Amino acid sequence: MLSTRSTAVVKSTLPLIGAAIGDITPVFYQRMFAAHPELERDLFNRGNQAQGDQQSALAGAIAAYATLLVAEDGRDPVEVLARIAHKHASLGITEDQYPIVHEHLFAAIVEVLGDAVTPEVASAWDEVYWHMAGALVSIEKRLYAEAGVADGDVWRTLVLRRRLQESPDTVSFVLGTPDHSTLPNAQPGQYVSVQVPLPDGARQIRQYSITRSSEPSEWEISVKAIPTGRAGDGTTTPAGEVSNFLHDSLFEGDELRTSTPFGELVLDDSDRPLVLVSAGIGATPIIGILHYLSGIGSARQVLVLHADRSPGRHAHRQQLKELVAAMPTASLHRWYEDLGVRPTRDVLRAGRIDLASVEIPADAQVYLCGPLPFMEHVRTSLLAQDVRAADIHYEVFGPDKWLASA
């Protein structure tokens, strides 16, 4: 924990730092990328940077961690770091990169807050940073050790064996070792990072859930193409650099740099009922979990809930139906915004997901994946049905801006 002196200073300055953190983080990234352009080019997601999502996520993580660190009663602050640590491990982050972040983050704090950053304030928040960094490094070292790799040494070259069209905008890629040697075991729900060379020389990285591992030498991932779009505020959202590259440029026999599997949305081994809730391409970790349950002949009660734009846009639609149908203790409910001329029935409905029409099993473990507004809505509905917050697990595709509240 923090020293008594620093705890008092952080408590008194949390409103100041918290109010300014949204101004501090863009300055931090600007300074860091100016000094280390290779980080923006080859490590950070340029699309999230352009939209400000990464800045918002960092601000939320720092504020949440500092708040929990000085709270007299509440969650262990280290609990909020597991998802970040898994993401870092999938990128191959190492301990020597934390001083770089420290240098430019604290320069940004001084630039934004000026004289308000007294030596005492700087010392206290310096302690917060190194407490958080030390906790992340510790978790990441453990993850590397559990994966059987040296710190940061997570990358291998795989070969594309098969392409499968799952929907008009989603393709599955079956990746395998060139010599058919065994790949590391992936736990149901985990993801891998992939790194692609782009035309401007950048080597951008993204994460994709493993949907199936039908052979010891193969992993299957599904990738949705992302065109240029419009955000709710009318601003333009950039096209998906990596997803579109994979759709346009990766074919059978091509190589792809891929990480060891990571991710904390891992299925528990209990016999408690499961509720698996997804929307759109968020179905991918759910598909991975269902393949695992089917493969081991699980007798757990499983309720699968999925929402999508239309049956035609639903990636893995038939596979999802077949997996659930093959499990005697599983059931499937689907919602489509545009159901077309298909008749509605109890398990197939028009419109957006509505958990009030579904009976959630008592003592269920719930796993969520989909767009943030969808997951926030579902989580609120689950809490209203007396599902415990600790039993609601989720995966975010992109920066975790939900960290402080979930």
Side-chain angles (χ1 to χ4, degrees):
M1 300 303 290
L2 295 184
S3 65
T4 302
R5 183 181 182 87
S6 291
T7 297
V9 173
V10 171
K11 279 184 176 181
S12 66
T13 55
L14 256 175
L16 172 68
I17 300 292
I21 199 75
D23 297 320
I24 293 167
T25 48
V27 175
F28 153 67
Y29 280 111
Q30 290 165 11
R31 296 182 70 102
M32 184 171 68
F33 292 154
H36 298 276
E38 74 280 2
L39 295 179
E40 182 177 24
R41 185 187 66 230
D42 299 333
L43 183 61
F44 285 83
N45 183 318
R46 297 191 298 194
N48 290 334
Q49 286 292 323
Q51 296 179 79
D53 289 347
Q54 189 67 57
Q55 291 93 323
S56 298
L58 177 63
I62 294 172
Y65 191 82
T67 300
L68 291 173
L69 194 58
V70 299
E72 296 179 4
D73 230 351
R75 295 168 64 190
D76 182 342
V78 175
E79 290 180 11
V80 307
L81 299 181
R83 189 169 286 106
I84 298 172
H86 275 273
K87 179 75 171 287
H88 283 184
S90 80
L91 296 169
I93 298 296
T94 51
E95 186 173 0
D96 60 343
Q97 291 172 298
Y98 282 90
I100 297 173
V101 173
H102 175 268
E103 174 188 353
H104 298 288
L105 178 59
F106 276 76
I109 290 172
V110 172
E111 179 178 331
V112 171
L113 296 179
D115 293 342
V117 186
T118 64
E120 185 179 45
V121 170
S123 176
W125 281 92
D126 189 72
E127 198 173 330
V128 170
Y129 175 82
W130 287 115
H131 193 286
M132 183 174 177
L136 281 168
V137 168
S138 177
I139 299 170
E140 289 153 18
K141 283 182 174 292
R142 175 176 57 79
L143 292 174
Y144 292 137
E146 290 173 352
V149 300
D151 291 2
D153 186 20
V154 299
W155 296 99
R156 58 174 44 80
T157 299
L158 300 183
V159 174
L160 180 64
R161 294 186 180 168
R162 296 183 298 282
R163 276 180 66 122
L164 307 167
Q165 195 77 37
E166 302 290 358
S167 74
D169 57 6
T170 302
V171 172
S172 285
F173 298 94
V174 180
L175 303 165
T177 51
D179 59 357
H180 291 265
S181 58
T182 299
L183 285 166
N185 182 51
Q187 298 183 66
Q190 287 192 311
Y191 56 78
V192 292
S193 290
V194 302
Q195 183 188 68
V196 303
L198 297 175
D200 65 355
R203 301 187 71 84
Q204 285 279 286
I205 301 171
R206 301 292 186 271
Q207 289 75 38
Y208 300 101
S209 298
I210 296 175
T211 54
R212 177 163 39 182
S213 182
S214 55
E215 293 185 14
S217 65
E218 290 183 353
W219 292 328
E220 182 178 315
I221 61 173
S222 295
V223 180
K224 180 179 178 179
I226 303 175
T228 301
R230 288 277 179 186
D233 60 3
T235 59
T236 299
T237 57
E241 284 191 295
V242 173
S243 62
N244 293 349
F245 175 91
L246 294 171
H247 272 246
D248 297 340
S249 306
L250 189 68
F251 295 92
E252 287 80 356
D254 290 340
E255 295 182 341
L256 185 66
R257 291 280 286 168
T258 311
S259 78
T260 298
F262 292 101
E264 68 154 4
L265 189 78
V266 174
L267 183 66
D268 76 304
D269 288 328
S270 72
D271 58 0
R272 293 172 59 184
L274 284 174
V275 179
L276 308 176
V277 193
S278 58
I281 198 61
T284 52
I286 304 304
I287 290 288
I289 289 172
L290 288 171
H291 272 298
Y292 170 79
L293 292 171
S294 176
I296 65 171
S298 173
R300 292 177 73 169
Q301 180 184 359
V302 183
L303 175 61
V304 183
L305 312 175
H306 181 79
D308 223 305
R309 293 187 180 276
S310 69
R313 290 283 178 180
H314 181 177
H316 294 284
R317 180 181 58 83
Q318 187 60 27
Q319 190 176 133
L320 181 65
K321 292 171 62 179
E322 291 173 355
L323 282 167
V324 172
M327 299 174 62
T329 56
S331 59
L332 171 64
H333 296 254
R334 290 174 290 151
W335 289 260
Y336 295 110
E337 294 178 33
D338 179 8
L339 186 57
V341 297
R342 298 169 64 86
T344 60
R345 53 184 187 273
D346 288 346
V347 296
L348 181 64
R349 303 173 179 87
R352 298 181 179 238
I353 193 167
D354 178 14
L355 266 61
S357 62
V358 180
E359 183 177 351
I360 304 299
D363 196 35
Q365 288 274 14
V366 183
Y367 293 80
L368 300 179
C369 192
L372 278 175
F374 166 83
M375 292 200 295
E376 289 169 347
H377 167 73
V378 169
R379 184 172 184 269
T380 299
S381 298
L382 290 167
L383 293 174
Q385 296 192 42
D386 298 323
V387 177
R388 294 178 299 180
D391 291 333
I392 303 173
H393 316 280
Y394 71 97
E395 183 64 87
V396 175
F397 292 165
D400 190 355
K401 296 183 289 183
W402 198 18
L403 177 67
S405 60

